Amino acid sequence: AGVHRPDSGSILIDGREVALKTPKDAFDSGVSTIHQEFNLVPFLDVAANIFLGNENTTGGVLNKKEMYDRTQELLDRVGADIKPNTLVKKLGVAEKQMVEICKALSIHSKIIIMDEPTAVLSSKEIDKLFAVIESVKAQGISVIYISHRLEELPRIADRVSVLRDGHMIGEVEGEFTKDRITKMMIGRDLTEQFPNVERELGGVVLKVDHLNSGAFLKDISFELRAGEILGFSGLVGAGRTEMARAIMGLDKKDSGDIYLNGEKVELKSALSAKKRGVVMVPEERKSEGLVLTMSVKENVSLTYLPSFAKGPAISGKEVDDRADDVIDRLSIRPADRNIKTVNMSGGNQQKVAIGKWIYKDHSVMIFDEPTRGVDVGAKAEIYKIIAGIAKKGVGIIMISSDLPEIIGMSDRVIVMKEGRISGELKKDVLSEHAVMQLAF
């Protein structure tokens, strides 16, 4: 993609060696990349984003009509119900992903690299994406498809190459199974992905009573017990994240009540929620959960910085000791407290985002898509971390679009649909079929 320069080796396109020193070089060579983290300008409309750097002009003036017409063709091609003149900041996560795909299709690429393209898509949207991929393959366009969702690979891939710790482990062609690929990825059989941690559930730590927020979130009521992992499932856009944000005080609630340990509280900001023992690991870890330009030790100490104060100064030794302990307890790699989080893998970034909160006693922790964009080995480690936190008596709300994850981790699951709770499933009746029946 031209983002990093190789130290050695060569890249050949159509048999000709190329030097991709910048993303522009890759673009000019017919390589288009849909990055896992979106590269969109929120204050420009959809058409402007799709043609950014490749605008249609007539006499030095933007030909907006032609750009809008071409954008509408691309949106229709991927089955996206979006208008070309809609500002990107008004789009949901799944809609932004469709805009990224349209960007790649707009430049007549020879090669399209897709990095975790389905991480935020519903099953229906994934089917649309796979149809688009089959269409571009039929036109002679090659696709490099990077995914941690192993169940997708038999559907979409002709060959699978497996990497681990920066090394090519091997390639599988023809018949390949999830178990075989998993073993290659983590170097061992993954017999127990979800930890079997004995937990004793305590009293109600959080009660949400008839919560309404904005035009979308309607009449949400539930209880969460100490030590419980309560899963929230539903299609993308069902209102799960909005529910969490309203509880945290990040979005204003219009009506309804929130109780912590039996006491009615008003959580008007993330700071007031934190003071009351309610914290959240957000879905968008790079923009909301971490300061990427800061190191591991700076990120894990930032949330409770005053506790490291010695008079007017911060105790560097205590900060270092805290960071080393978090690295050790959460198996963060590389084990370097001074590495900037921007240079870490998604799984290790997520561990740092969790590690910020593990040193204080909390009543409630909310995990929004805790393993999005994380490989199967790191997923198992994060599941252990979450189960360990719950064992200490913390009430856990876990929002996830990964059905095996939500079923394997939760004591019970609440399913949301169109901003409302459509049903609740206890452990003994949990299944993918039961969840999806309530989601649609």
Side-chain angles (χ1 to χ4, degrees):
V3 176
H4 300 302
R5 296 189 187 187
D7 300 311
S8 60
S10 56
I11 299 171
L12 289 82
I13 296 179
D14 291 330
R16 180 175 59 86
E17 186 169 348
V18 294
L20 307 181
K21 297 178 180 179
T22 67
K24 180 70 163 58
D25 292 338
F27 182 90
D28 292 340
S29 298
V31 179
S32 180
T33 303
I34 301 171
H35 295 278
Q36 182 178 345
E37 304 296 335
F38 302 135
N39 287 308
L40 299 171
V41 183
F43 296 101
L44 293 180
D45 65 25
V46 171
N49 270 278
I50 288 174
F51 290 98
L52 193 62
N54 190 34
E55 293 85 356
N56 293 334
T57 59
T58 303
V61 178
L62 286 177
N63 188 335
K64 286 196 172 185
K65 183 181 184 306
E66 186 176 333
M67 287 169 61
Y68 282 167
D69 289 346
R70 176 67 178 136
T71 297
Q72 191 61 61
E73 290 175 12
L74 292 166
L75 292 168
D76 291 342
R77 187 173 166 187
V78 299
D81 186 18
I82 309 169
K83 298 298 182 186
N85 62 348
T86 303
L87 292 181
V88 163
K89 70 176 183 178
K90 295 183 178 179
L91 300 179
V93 177
E95 292 172 320
K96 290 176 183 176
Q97 181 67 278
M98 289 301 177
V99 175
E100 287 279 17
I101 293 166
C102 289
K103 277 173 62 178
L105 296 174
S106 72
I107 66 166
H108 307 294
S109 308
K110 298 176 184 176
I111 300 163
I112 298 178
I113 302 171
M114 296 184 176
D115 190 0
E116 296 287 350
T118 62
V120 294
L121 302 184
S122 68
S123 57
K124 193 175 291 186
E125 290 160 338
I126 290 171
D127 289 340
K128 287 181 185 176
L129 172 63
F130 286 177
V132 171
I133 291 174
E134 292 299 332
S135 173
V136 300
K137 282 172 60 181
Q139 298 167 40
I141 300 170
S142 301
V143 177
I144 297 174
Y145 185 94
I146 302 165
S147 181
H148 292 127
R149 291 187 168 184
L150 304 188
E151 67 276 4
E152 295 176 351
L153 300 182
R155 290 181 61 189
I156 200 67
D158 299 301
R159 289 182 292 131
V160 176
S161 296
V162 179
L163 290 95
R164 183 173 76 241
D165 296 332
H167 297 276
M168 178 70 78
I169 300 302
E171 188 176 276
V172 185
E173 192 167 359
E175 291 293 322
F176 44 82
T177 65
K178 181 177 176 179
D179 288 344
R180 182 179 179 186
I181 297 169
T182 297
K183 188 172 182 178
M184 293 172 72
M185 287 177 69
I186 66 175
R188 65 184 191 279
D189 288 317
L190 195 60
T191 53
E192 288 190 10
Q193 185 175 18
F194 303 108
N196 185 18
V197 178
E198 290 292 330
R199 288 176 283 114
E200 188 172 327
L201 304 190
V204 174
V205 290
L206 172 70
K207 179 181 177 182
V208 176
D209 192 31
H210 299 292
L211 177 67
N212 293 273
S213 177
F216 190 65
L217 209 61
K218 303 179 184 73
D219 200 32
I220 303 297
S221 296
F222 66 90
E223 292 182 346
L224 172 70
R225 296 172 66 186
E228 181 180 28
I229 299 177
L230 175 59
F232 273 81
S233 189
L235 303 180
V236 172
R240 300 165 302 168
T241 297
E242 290 82 357
M243 176 272 302
R245 289 179 59 86
I247 291 172
M248 287 291 299
L250 295 168
D251 293 338
K252 183 178 180 296
K253 67 181 177 71
D254 298 324
S255 61
D257 297 312
I258 296 173
Y259 298 85
L260 287 172
N261 297 307
E263 179 187 354
K264 185 177 175 180
V265 295
E266 289 294 331
L267 306 180
K268 295 184 177 180
S269 68
L271 181 59
S272 68
K274 174 188 156 190
K275 288 178 177 177
R276 289 284 192 167
V278 183
V279 297
M280 179 175 173
V281 180
E283 176 184 8
E284 298 289 344
R285 60 175 170 264
K286 290 193 174 184
S287 59
E288 298 176 0
L290 297 168
V291 183
L292 293 178
T293 53
M294 286 186 173
S295 66
V296 172
K297 73 175 182 181
E298 289 170 322
N299 271 283
V300 300
S301 61
L302 197 59
T303 44
Y304 294 102
L305 205 55
S307 65
F308 300 106
K310 299 293 183 185
I314 298 296
S315 170
K317 183 179 184 307
E318 287 192 23
V319 169
D320 288 349
D321 290 346
R322 168 73 61 86
D324 289 342
D325 192 36
V326 170
I327 288 169
D328 182 57
R329 286 171 63 179
L330 304 190
S331 300
I332 294 171
R333 297 292 178 268
D336 178 1
R337 71 172 89 101
N338 295 308
I339 189 174
K340 284 185 167 37
T341 50
V342 69
N343 296 322
M344 304 177 81
S345 69
N348 285 292
Q349 285 180 345
Q350 187 71 340
K351 290 179 187 178
V352 175
I354 295 169
K356 292 161 49 176
W357 302 113
I358 65 173
Y359 270 89
K360 291 285 184 178
D361 292 329
H362 304 295
S363 297
V364 178
M365 285 192 73
I366 302 173
F367 292 87
D368 192 356
E369 301 288 357
T371 63
R372 176 187 164 201
V374 172
D375 69 59
V376 288
K379 276 186 177 184
E381 293 176 343
I382 289 171
Y383 296 151
K384 280 185 182 178
I385 293 167
I386 294 173
I389 293 170
K391 186 175 175 62
K392 293 180 178 179
V394 179
I396 303 287
I397 290 176
M398 193 173 90
I399 300 166
S400 178
S401 300
D402 186 323
L403 285 178
E405 172 176 284
I406 208 79
I407 292 167
M409 286 295 294
S410 303
D411 297 301
R412 59 191 171 97
V413 172
I414 290 175
V415 183
M416 294 188 65
K417 176 184 176 182
E418 297 176 352
R420 297 180 182 272
I421 290 176
S422 58
E424 179 182 316
L425 298 165
K426 294 183 179 178
K427 190 76 172 178
D428 57 347
V429 294
L430 263 179
S431 69
E432 293 190 19
H433 178 69
V435 171
M436 294 313 293
Q437 275 192 316
L438 291 171
F440 280 102

